Amino acid sequence: MKMADVCQVFKDAGVTDVTSVLASGNIVFSSDKAADPLKRLLEESMSAYFSYEAFLFIRSQEEVELLQANIPFEMHTDFHVYAFVGAEGVETILMDEFSNSTQVPGEKAEIVNTVFYWRVPKGNTLDSSFGKVLGKKNLKDKMTSRNINTFEKILKKMG
């Protein structure tokens, strides 16, 4: 889907200052509405416009700043670091999945507050045993993941 169309759906739903972050599926916007009713409204709007069941995860600027500040791994050019956000309790489901998977050397996972962080060697993201969890249908409505670099771009857009 085109990010311009997604932004228009958000605008039509009544949020302001709408902008997309690359083609990452992340939308930065302003709203006076509480997160839960806003989530339902935007999911319904997206589902109606694009004819699919939309699942969104809304985070405030403060939440994204904390997520970025609490990265438990040292950044290294040989590794990707991902943060997973989603429904309450998904971090423990992800940690169970990680614990039951076979790790490659240097692959790690940690929960900080309610955010699941995963470090994986570059080139192993989708090939790793845990990486296959990203496509599990039973988790589709419970979480999404983004590379830490994407969160940096989101924060820049948030100002």
Side-chain angles (χ1 to χ4, degrees):
M1 65 186 68
K2 296 178 183 173
M3 289 297 99
D5 293 342
V6 174
C7 287
Q8 190 59 53
V9 170
F10 274 56
K11 290 174 188 173
D12 292 346
V15 298
T16 59
D17 306 318
V18 181
T19 186
S20 62
V21 180
L22 305 171
S24 65
N26 294 288
I27 306 296
V28 175
F29 61 89
S30 298
S31 178
D32 292 334
K33 295 180 176 140
D36 286 339
L38 182 59
K39 175 182 174 1
R40 284 190 296 277
L41 170 67
L42 293 172
E43 285 177 337
E44 289 170 6
S45 298
M46 291 285 292
S47 295
Y49 186 88
F50 291 105
S51 300
Y52 83 107
E53 190 173 9
F55 301 105
L56 304 177
F57 302 99
I58 297 176
R59 297 295 182 263
S60 68
Q61 182 171 347
E62 293 79 19
E63 289 171 310
V64 178
E65 287 170 349
L66 276 173
L67 181 150
Q68 191 73 14
N70 290 327
I71 299 168
F73 309 118
E74 186 175 313
M75 300 309 284
H76 192 281
T77 57
D78 293 338
F79 293 91
H80 287 298
V81 175
Y82 294 88
F84 290 67
V85 296
E88 185 177 323
V90 74
E91 68 278 3
T92 56
I93 294 169
L94 292 168
M95 187 56 84
D96 288 344
E97 291 277 354
F98 182 80
S99 297
N100 292 324
S101 68
T102 303
Q103 286 90 47
V104 297
E107 185 177 10
K108 295 180 180 182
E110 193 169 322
I111 297 171
V112 178
N113 298 324
T114 59
V115 178
F116 179 86
Y117 294 90
W118 175 45
R119 184 182 88 165
V120 62
K122 287 184 177 177
N124 286 289
T125 303
L126 297 177
D127 294 333
S128 77
S129 178
F130 178 73
K132 295 185 182 3
V133 77
L134 301 174
K136 281 193 168 188
K137 291 184 190 218
N138 67 326
L139 293 176
K140 184 170 97 172
D141 65 335
K142 293 178 179 51
M143 61 87 186
T144 190
S145 65
R146 295 292 185 269
N147 187 298
I148 289 301
N149 299 330
T150 302
F151 285 106
E152 287 177 23
K153 292 175 176 94
I154 291 168
L155 284 171
K156 285 180 185 173
K157 289 262 185 172
M158 288 179 155

